[in-house]
Amino acid sequence: MKHEILYRPVYSLLQVELDAGEAISAESGAMVTMTPNIEIQTSAKGGVLSSLKRSILGGESFFQNTFTCRQGRGVITFGPAYMGDVEHIPLTGEWFVQSGSYLCSTPGLGIDTKFQGLKGVFSGENLFFLRIYGQGELFISSFGAIHPIDLQPGEEVKVDTGNLVAFQQGITYGVEKVGGIKSTMLSGEGLVLRLRGPGRIYVQTRSPRSFVGWLWPMLPKPQSQ
């Protein structure tokens, strides 16, 4: 399966070439174009309960679309929901992906929402991660550009909850305040994730929460009667 990521890093478009019999699965609404020899099938991946959990807890669509090339060579493109980038991860093992950052993957990869029993919503961010496992090709998306960070064993970094995109198996983390009570309440940073290596993490250069906060005062407000 060949792929190319076009128009990086803000308006990225993923282009995938499929030979006969090859397939790729994607979030509902992610497909932009496809050649006529590609067939689409829609299903609740992993069954109804698994899809319901992934939709409610992981923030992903209930149904997934699988695109299969039936003959010859097919070309399909996918676009993220946000104005941002796309990153390819040749996956062997496990990765954990923040809600809304999964774009598409080869059908053999498993997807669920289990992650060390963590349950909760902190600082307006959903900290149920998608657990994506197996061997195959994974494509993730971001709001803004994607910045990789490679952590050595024992090395740590703090990341705002709204900027984390994905991290590799082997990374451990904890949730903590950005500073003292005053800093946590007034700095606009809230809570952060403290990640510890070894492994790779991806962060996005823009936060959807911060963008909405910037945009909200400019939106027209309904006039009171």
Side-chain angles (χ1 to χ4, degrees):
M1 181 183 297
K2 297 179 181 179
H3 77 273
E4 185 177 5
I5 302 172
L6 307 171
Y7 315 121
R8 306 183 79 167
V10 180
Y11 296 99
S12 297
L13 182 72
L14 172 64
Q15 179 175 282
V16 179
E17 296 183 14
L18 301 174
D19 291 330
E22 287 187 322
I24 190 165
S25 298
E27 277 292 280
S28 177
M31 189 274 294
V32 178
T33 65
M34 65 180 183
T35 51
N37 58 335
I38 294 178
E39 180 182 280
I40 179 175
Q41 292 183 326
T42 303
S43 63
K45 187 171 183 178
V48 173
L49 291 180
S50 178
S51 295
L52 186 63
K53 182 175 67 171
R54 189 170 62 246
S55 175
I56 294 175
L57 302 182
E60 304 300 318
S61 59
F62 181 86
F63 292 104
Q64 273 204 330
N65 296 322
T66 298
F67 302 88
T68 304
C69 181
R70 290 307 179 191
Q71 59 181 0
R73 170 184 166 274
V75 178
I76 185 168
T77 61
F78 298 102
Y82 297 127
M83 296 174 291
D85 205 356
V86 173
E87 185 69 37
H88 169 231
I89 299 176
L91 194 148
T92 300
E94 295 180 342
W95 274 77
F96 298 93
V97 178
Q98 182 68 291
S99 172
S101 292
Y102 169 81
L103 181 62
C104 60
S105 61
T106 46
L109 293 180
I111 304 175
D112 65 30
T113 54
K114 294 180 181 179
F115 182 62
Q116 299 180 358
L118 178 63
K119 297 180 179 180
V121 177
F122 296 91
S123 189
E125 302 294 340
N126 186 355
L127 289 187
F128 282 98
F129 293 97
L130 290 179
R131 171 179 170 259
I132 304 178
Y133 57 94
Q135 184 169 351
E137 311 303 321
L138 169 64
F139 297 91
I140 58 175
S141 62
S142 66
F143 185 44
I146 293 180
H147 174 60
I149 300 175
D150 291 310
L151 297 177
Q152 300 302 314
E155 187 178 6
E156 295 182 335
V157 66
K158 293 182 180 181
V159 179
D160 185 278
T161 56
N163 290 87
L164 181 66
V165 175
F167 57 96
Q168 191 175 15
Q169 180 186 19
I171 296 281
T172 58
Y173 78 87
V175 181
E176 61 182 47
K177 295 178 293 185
V178 71
I181 294 177
K182 182 178 179 181
S183 295
T184 300
M185 297 294 293
L186 303 179
S187 68
E189 298 300 332
L191 300 179
V192 296
L193 294 171
R194 184 169 183 161
L195 299 108
R196 182 183 180 91
R200 167 167 284 201
I201 70 174
Y202 288 109
V203 298
Q204 56 192 9
T205 59
R206 298 293 181 269
S207 166
R209 182 185 66 232
S210 298
F211 177 70
V212 171
W214 172 82
L215 184 63
W216 178 252
M218 305 179 197
L219 297 177
K221 303 298 189 293
Q223 298 296 322
S224 58
Q225 298 295 329

